[in-house]
Amino acid sequence: LLFRKLYHTYLNSILPVLAARLSRNPSAYYYLADSIMNFPTPEKFATLMEEAGLKEVKFYRLNLGITYLHEGIK
């Protein structure tokens, strides 16, 4: 939980400042942060995969819960 809060702070406060200084396209980093923050929860994404017809859907927590690996059988 603490690491997640730190990561969210990084995404929303630090990354935009760095992008504005270092990137020719800082708006891409705002888009990146927004898409990460609004991505479905792991459970919801697994449900979407099942609704798309995948079987034996599983997901694995990685990077202290920042990322998840999803797998399913077509």
Side-chain angles (χ1 to χ4, degrees):
L1 186 60
L2 174 62
F3 192 71
R4 180 174 285 193
K5 286 182 180 182
L6 291 172
Y7 184 69
H8 286 242
T9 300
Y10 168 75
L11 271 180
N12 294 303
S13 300
I14 299 169
L15 183 62
V17 172
L18 290 175
R21 291 185 180 178
L22 303 175
S23 175
R24 293 181 186 175
N25 186 11
S27 63
Y29 291 89
Y30 285 101
Y31 171 78
L32 174 64
D34 184 56
S35 65
I36 290 170
M37 299 294 288
N38 291 301
F39 198 79
T41 64
E43 296 81 8
K44 176 63 177 167
F45 193 72
T47 299
L48 292 170
M49 290 174 66
E50 290 168 345
E51 289 173 355
L54 294 167
K55 306 288 183 206
E56 298 182 37
V57 174
K58 301 174 188 171
F59 57 91
Y60 306 93
R61 182 176 180 242
L62 305 172
N63 301 324
L64 300 173
I66 292 174
T67 0
Y68 283 79
L69 171 66
H70 285 73
E71 69 177 12
I73 299 173
K74 185 174 177 182

